[in-house]
Amino acid sequence: MRVAVIGGGPGGLYFAALTKQLSPHWEVTVWERNAPDDTFGFGVVFSDETLDGIAQADREIYEAMSAEFARWTDIDVRHRGSTLTSGGHGFAALGRQHLLRILQRRCADLAVDVRYRTQSPPAAELAAGYDLVVACDGVRSATRAAYADTFAPDLDERSGRYMWLGTDKVFEAFTFIVDEQEFGTLQVHAYPYDATRSTFIVEMTEDAWRRAGFAESDGRDLPPGTSDEDSIRRCEELLAGHLDSHRLIPNNSKWLRFTTVRNGTWRHQNVVLLGDAAHTAHFSIGSGTKLAMEDALVLAASLHEHPDVPTALAAYEDERRPVVESTQRAAQASLEWFERIDRYTGQEPHQFAFNLLTRSRRVTYDNLRVRDEGFTTAVNRSSAVPPMFRPYPLGGLLLRNRVVVPPTALHTAREGIPGDFDLVHLSTQAVGGAGLVLAGMTAVSAGGRATPGCPGLWNDEQEAAWRRLTGFVHGQSDTCLGIQLTHAGRRAASHGGGQPLAASALPWDDRGPVPREADRADMDALVRDFTAAARRADRAGFDALELQYGHGHLLSGFLSPLTNLRTDAYGGDLDGRLRFPLEVLGAVREVWPAGKALLVRISAADWAEGGTTEADAVAIAGALAGAGADAIDVSTGEVVAHEEPRYGRSYQTPYADLIRNATGVPTIAVGAISTYDDVNSIILAGRADLCGVGRAQLHDPLWTLHAAAAQGYQGPAAPWARAWRAGSGRPPSARTDRIPPRLELLRQPAESVHRRWRPRAAVPAHR
């Protein structure tokens, strides 16, 4: 095998060393355009998981790295004059230049041909003369650009600005500095990497950056390797209170915009991408060096494990892509949190710190509690009640906890009449402990059903059936019961009940019938249908009412610019698109009792180009609250058939967060929320007031009660029905009664939750 490596950074050198170690007879050549002692950047951070892999793969490299590590376990959050510390995290960092020297020595020991100060030949030329070309040529990869048709790169450049710096102030922990200035919020990500230096990344939004006067340096033609000295001195002045008379140290430091790199594939024939050429993840969640070295380990192993290059490259991508995409999802959430940091700075310091630490959704309430119980106790204000089991006033109701069972389409009704299965479903969910249970997708007219199996509330027989159901449930539990009212609009076409009605004459998809655009008479009839159904819901004994203004149903069709093409007063700009939904809400508000709760569900994003924007979602929620909605149930999507959602754990929560913190309107977060840990995290961080747990409740109708048992909570927010009380404790399982024997002669002292980086003696920095 002849292997060409483009780029002598940590990823390229580590791959070369591992490959040569596994296959000493292979010819491995590395091209690096810089000198061996050139480096850009400061410190790099590694997780314990990555270090375990490095230790197993090449002990010499690991031991050389370990000898130089700065290690600590604490994270400090500085916000509004206070510093809050969370421990138990575990970090190891070292200087990038020192890491390169370790890898350079290892490559030399293994007889890797590393050609410094040498520009590599074009990838096509290398591919013709070598069995494998590994492109480690960074974010601006020329190799990726040369084969763009195959790699299909997606380069997401963000608007915020950041500058990578160092400082001779040695921080004792990973430190987040949130400094509110007249021009906006300035944030810093700082961490030590040796006895004399720390990495110091300054970041701010585009708007704050411009108002701070930094835009004057934008577009300045600085030669390669030259830093923006004026901006650096200005940052020193602004952050003097955090630098304690220390200085900021530049290294090719200038204002940048972060680019998230994604590719459709990482391989083209015998050419493969590695590290930043293949993918990037925002620096607030992890190190690009860490990801690149993990790539290198898997690629070297795959080449050793498989019989030919194509099979090995496919195995490499199959193994690494899910890991990288998971990291990128977390990094995207973190990146967006910092882009919107002004939304949260008004929180009190403990909640703000918790919000910051859980921003990526990887770190959670339970995770932090295990790492540092003292920190979560302080955030909880010493309350022994988990956040999800704290009561919440909703409209005229007082919910006993923060768990909502969202509307579920059961499709079991006949002629719109709910039957025995609806009774079983709602009663089980209510007895299962949630604070609010909603009956789903109930049509206000026969033509408003999405399917023939949908329930309705347009006649006396249906009202009586619902009254029987609520009476039974209320006799078994004090759980609040609600019902969602809707007209399916153009989505009603699926049951073949004649021409559907919609905001505009747009079919749901290519196979669906063209709906009729609602005229004024239709809209008047719809207002009457919704108010009549609301009166019936009240008489039927429901405690809460939800109006469906999302998911492509009729009223959703008025709100989205993708489905409302009207040219009258009910179309056009957002005010026009809101007009009819507000008419319906206003009419329902007049007939719905003030002592009960009125909710509205919206799709805060259409997941399609040209759809509802975040600004639209905030304005819609504010208008609905102003018209009488007690809370907004924040969902997304299902507005157009060609949507492209970005699914993932709690993937819709950021929209509830956006609306709650931009408007102050109470929100319900929904969408792939399945663990009590996520519910606690969302509530405690202030991302939503209530959490809708759907599929997990279908999997386990006693989900809320089981969550209480798992957390050791026994209180009024999670009452067990008397007949089931014997099952309220966790049942014994295999070997749960086993008492482990002592196998240590002398017990080891418990490791401290808090560990700071305090080098024993200052040594000259590596130059």
Side-chain angles (χ1 to χ4, degrees):
M1 282 279 289
R2 300 184 72 227
V3 180
V5 180
I6 304 173
L13 291 174
Y14 189 50
F15 166 76
L18 293 178
T19 300
K20 195 69 172 175
Q21 175 187 328
L22 290 172
S23 302
H25 56 288
W26 287 12
E27 178 187 325
V28 181
T29 306
V30 179
W31 279 266
E32 171 51 53
R33 64 184 180 181
N34 295 314
D37 55 351
D38 288 344
T39 187
F40 302 111
F42 296 90
V44 293
V45 181
F46 293 94
S47 66
D48 290 341
E49 184 179 54
T50 302
L51 292 176
D52 288 344
I54 293 173
Q56 182 273 333
D58 190 312
R59 196 73 193 178
E60 288 191 32
I61 290 176
Y62 172 75
E63 289 178 353
M65 291 171 61
S66 295
E68 299 293 331
F69 277 144
R71 290 187 180 272
W72 69 95
T73 63
D74 283 355
I75 297 177
D76 288 347
V77 179
R78 299 186 182 183
H79 171 236
R80 295 196 169 180
S82 65
T83 299
L84 299 179
T85 299
S86 172
H89 296 275
F91 294 97
L94 77 165
R96 178 180 169 85
Q97 188 175 56
H98 190 66
L99 174 62
L100 285 172
R101 287 181 173 171
I102 291 170
L103 296 172
Q104 289 164 0
R105 286 197 300 267
R106 186 62 172 146
C107 283
D109 291 344
L110 293 167
V112 175
D113 180 6
V114 184
R115 302 179 183 181
Y116 297 106
R117 301 186 181 88
T118 306
Q119 182 68 45
S120 74
E125 181 181 328
L126 291 174
Y130 285 80
D131 299 294
L132 173 66
V133 178
V134 182
C136 312
D137 48 350
V139 174
R140 297 173 180 81
S141 170
T143 307
R144 186 182 65 227
Y147 299 112
D149 289 345
T150 300
F151 292 129
D154 173 14
L155 308 180
D156 178 16
E157 184 180 66
R158 310 301 294 191
S159 62
R161 305 284 183 146
Y162 73 98
M163 184 184 292
W164 206 289
L165 297 158
T167 177
D168 56 358
K169 175 179 172 61
V170 181
F171 286 87
E172 296 181 353
F174 204 115
T175 304
F176 291 103
I177 298 170
V178 180
D179 193 281
E180 295 172 85
Q181 302 275 351
E182 291 182 359
F183 55 78
T185 302
L186 187 155
Q187 63 247 22
V188 173
H189 313 248
Y191 57 87
Y193 63 84
D194 65 22
T196 62
R197 295 286 188 269
S198 297
T199 297
F200 197 88
I201 307 168
V202 181
E203 184 184 26
M204 62 188 76
T205 64
E206 173 83 3
D207 183 56
W209 180 81
R210 290 193 176 279
R211 286 194 281 116
F214 289 113
E216 297 173 6
S217 66
D218 196 27
R220 188 183 301 169
D221 189 15
L222 296 173
T226 303
S227 298
D228 183 351
E229 296 289 348
D230 292 341
S231 290
I232 294 167
R233 299 288 79 79
R234 170 88 165 126
C235 287
E236 273 188 346
E237 293 171 6
L238 291 170
L239 294 163
H242 300 283
L243 288 168
D244 302 326
S245 301
H246 291 272
R247 62 193 179 102
L248 293 179
I249 302 170
N251 184 339
N252 193 32
S253 302
K254 50 183 70 73
W255 292 112
L256 303 170
R257 289 189 175 98
F258 187 82
T259 299
T260 299
V261 175
R262 301 178 180 89
N263 285 280
T265 182
W266 300 347
R267 60 192 195 276
H268 170 74
Q269 297 176 359
N270 65 334
V271 179
V272 66
L273 303 178
L274 186 149
D276 285 354
H279 49 73
T280 60
H282 192 250
F283 51 80
S284 63
I285 199 65
S287 166
T289 300
K290 164 190 175 300
L291 289 175
M293 291 181 69
E294 290 175 351
D295 283 355
L297 188 152
V298 174
L299 180 56
S302 297
L303 290 166
H304 187 68
E305 292 166 354
H306 295 280
D308 55 69
V309 168
T311 306
L313 298 189
Y316 155 69
E317 185 167 353
D318 287 346
E319 183 172 342
R320 283 297 294 162
R321 183 176 282 278
V323 176
V324 167
E325 289 179 347
S326 175
T327 300
Q328 286 185 317
R329 284 192 295 271
Q332 188 73 10
S334 179
L335 177 157
E336 292 174 358
W337 193 93
F338 281 109
E339 286 180 336
R340 302 158 180 160
I341 194 168
D342 289 334
R343 189 189 300 172
Y344 311 111
T345 50
Q347 293 180 329
E348 62 87 20
H350 280 94
Q351 186 180 43
F352 178 84
F354 179 84
N355 196 345
L356 186 153
L357 293 173
T358 59
R359 68 196 179 280
S360 72
R361 302 195 292 276
R362 275 191 166 182
V363 176
T364 61
Y365 170 81
D366 210 40
N367 185 274
L368 285 176
R369 186 177 59 81
V370 170
R371 297 182 190 207
D372 184 356
E373 190 167 7
F375 175 78
T376 52
T377 298
V379 176
N380 266 327
R381 299 182 180 181
S382 299
S383 173
V385 178
M388 66 182 290
F389 291 117
R390 295 172 191 170
Y392 185 76
L394 180 65
L397 307 176
L398 181 63
L399 305 185
R400 64 167 175 252
N401 62 48
R402 306 300 184 94
V403 181
V404 176
V405 178
T408 303
L410 302 176
H411 306 295
T412 57
R414 293 188 177 183
E415 300 300 327
I417 300 171
D420 289 344
F421 193 85
D422 297 86
L423 175 64
V424 170
H425 169 74
L426 290 178
S427 59
T428 304
Q429 297 288 354
V431 176
L436 173 65
V437 176
L438 294 170
M441 221 156 76
T442 306
V444 298
S445 65
R449 289 174 292 166
T451 73
C454 288
L457 195 47
W458 67 82
N459 63 36
D460 292 344
E461 190 176 2
Q462 294 160 355
E463 180 183 328
W466 285 117
R467 189 181 304 114
R468 177 180 76 92
L469 188 151
T470 62
F472 177 82
V473 174
H474 283 144
Q476 307 302 317
S477 168
D478 63 354
T479 296
C480 294
L481 280 182
I483 189 167
Q484 183 192 73
L485 298 181
T486 189
H487 187 295
R490 65 187 189 140
R491 301 199 69 174
S494 60
H495 76 95
Q499 187 179 23
L501 187 67
S504 296
L506 296 172
W508 170 252
D509 56 27
D510 295 340
R511 297 169 295 177
V514 177
R516 179 168 57 85
E517 181 174 292
D519 58 21
R520 184 65 256 180
D522 294 320
M523 290 189 280
D524 289 341
L526 284 164
V527 171
R528 290 193 297 270
D529 289 341
F530 271 94
T531 53
R535 286 191 178 98
R536 290 185 182 278
D538 178 34
R539 292 196 299 265
F542 284 102
D543 308 298
L545 182 70
E546 178 171 278
L547 302 179
Q548 172 62 291
Y549 280 19
H551 294 182
H553 288 218
L554 193 143
L555 292 166
S556 169
F558 276 88
L559 291 173
S560 172
L562 297 177
T563 53
N564 184 340
L565 305 183
R566 302 174 71 101
T567 57
D568 62 5
Y570 295 94
D573 62 13
L574 183 58
D575 287 341
R577 302 198 307 272
L578 265 166
R579 185 166 281 113
F580 181 58
L582 289 177
E583 286 180 10
V584 174
L585 175 58
V588 170
R589 179 74 276 181
E590 286 186 8
V591 303
W592 186 249
K596 297 186 176 184
L598 180 56
L599 318 174
V600 181
R601 171 172 277 213
I602 67 169
S603 287
D606 297 340
W607 301 114
E609 186 175 353
T612 300
T613 66
E614 289 190 354
D616 289 342
V618 169
I620 289 168
L624 295 174
D630 294 314
I632 306 299
D633 189 350
V634 187
S635 186
T636 63
E638 299 187 52
V639 174
V640 292
H642 62 277
E643 67 176 3
E644 295 183 358
R646 293 193 296 271
Y647 292 116
R649 187 172 121 254
S650 306
Y651 73 105
Q652 295 180 136
T653 298
Y655 295 93
D657 183 346
L658 164 70
I659 289 170
R660 182 185 190 273
N661 287 289
T663 66
V665 176
T667 60
I668 304 173
V670 300
I673 300 171
S674 59
T675 71
Y676 65 78
D677 192 17
D678 284 331
V679 175
N680 283 328
S681 299
I682 291 166
I683 300 302
L684 195 58
R687 299 185 181 110
D689 301 280
L690 300 163
C691 286
V693 180
R695 296 194 180 193
Q697 293 272 12
L698 293 178
H699 177 74
D700 175 12
L702 304 188
W703 183 91
T704 306
L705 295 179
H706 291 157
Q711 296 173 83
Y713 172 76
Q714 295 179 337
W720 283 77
R722 181 178 300 175
W724 287 355
R725 199 162 295 161
S728 61
R730 302 185 74 174
S733 58
R735 297 179 66 81
T736 56
D737 59 345
R738 177 178 180 268
I739 300 174
R742 176 173 177 173
L743 299 176
E744 296 175 318
L745 178 61
L746 297 176
R747 297 186 191 278
Q748 296 295 319
E751 187 173 341
S752 173
V753 169
H754 298 290
R755 179 176 176 180
R756 316 286 285 183
W757 171 241
R758 290 173 179 143
R760 293 183 179 179
V763 297
H766 298 286
R767 304 240 179 236

